[in-house]
Amino acid sequence: MNCCEHCDATEEVFGPEKASRDLKRYAQKGPDKTTELMLSSIRKTKLKDAQLLDIGGGIGVLHHELFKDTIIRAIHVDASSAFIGVAREQDQVHGKEAQVDYIHGDVVDLSSSLPTSQIVTLDRVICCYPDWENLVKVTAEKAEDIYIFSIPRDRWFVKMVIGLENLYRRIKGDAFRAFVHSSDELNRLLGEMGFKQLSVDATLSWQVFTFTR
Ligand SMILES: C[S@@+](CC[C@H](N)C(=O)[O-])C[C@H]1O[C@@H](n2cnc3c(N)ncnc32)[C@H](O)[C@@H]1O
């Protein structure tokens, strides 16, 4: 799959129905587990009044939460217009819309126009992208202080579940695919770019990596 096909398929999978389901779940239960781990890791850095660049930010849970105590500005990039619409509506409700830039599209295509930020996040995004290396290169270079992401764990049962989901999508004629990229390869690339690993947190099937300059 090339990256244009990826974007079309992403727009379809992360459409209005999924966006309103995610919003309902967030309203009822708060942030998901990987997002909680990322929030806690970001808060441990004690950054204040920071700018967040959230790539594939979905309905905007990271910036909605970090506006409480860590950030004063957010740049919200997403390939799904439905997700951006829901994030913006929530910001309107909370009076934060003027503090957020909403950017629609594939971050790899957009990267040259994106600003650097103290915090750069990708929560469950790298696994949506076929060319992880390019995605990580162009987004990590935007991080002034911390670069933090969640990815599925490189374990047989996680690969099996994602493989079955991809098979189901293929049968349905849906072009979207999820990927389990190697955490060792990701770590190697970030090391080469001059990042140091601050922490690794995990659930049964996800890992959250926090890197600093
Ligand atoms: C699984 S969702 C995660 C949403 C949110 N980060 C969360 O954890 O709830 C993946 C998100 O990444 C976005 N996405 C995937 N590939 C992208 C790309 N290349 N550029 C920008 N956004 C992308 C999708 O549109 C979707 O909103």
Side-chain angles (χ1 to χ4, degrees), residues 15 70 147 203:
T70 305
Y147 183 71
T203 68

Side-chain angles (χ1 to χ4, degrees), residues 6-7 10 14 22 32 34-35 54-59 77-80 83 105-108 123-125 128-129 135:
H6 159 80
C7 247
T10 302
F14 299 102
D22 280 12
D32 287 345
T34 60
T35 314
D54 189 19
I55 313 292
I59 61 163
V77 182
D78 204 290
S80 155
F83 273 63
D106 182 338
V107 68
V108 173
D123 189 6
R124 297 178 287 190
V125 179
C128 296
Y129 206 71
L135 176 64

Side-chain angles (χ1 to χ4, degrees), residues 5 17 23 31 70 78-79 113 127 135 146 161 171 191:
E5 279 171 322
E17 264 180 41
L23 178 60
T70 305
D78 204 290
S113 62
C127 53
L135 176 64
I146 59 167
V161 170
I171 292 165

Side-chain angles (χ1 to χ4, degrees), residues 25-26 29-44 61-62 65 123-124 148-151 153 200-209:
R25 200 186 51 232
Y26 174 47
K29 300 186 176 166
D32 287 345
K33 193 67 192 154
T34 60
T35 314
E36 278 289 10
L37 290 175
M38 288 178 68
L39 288 167
S40 145
S41 186
I42 291 167
R43 287 181 171 131
K44 279 186 198 149
V61 175
L62 277 170
E65 294 293 319
D123 189 6
R124 297 178 287 190
I148 172 162
F149 59 88
S150 59
I151 52 171
R153 294 184 83 158
V200 186
D201 300 290
T203 68
L204 187 63
S205 46
W206 291 86
Q207 273 184 310
V208 170
F209 289 88

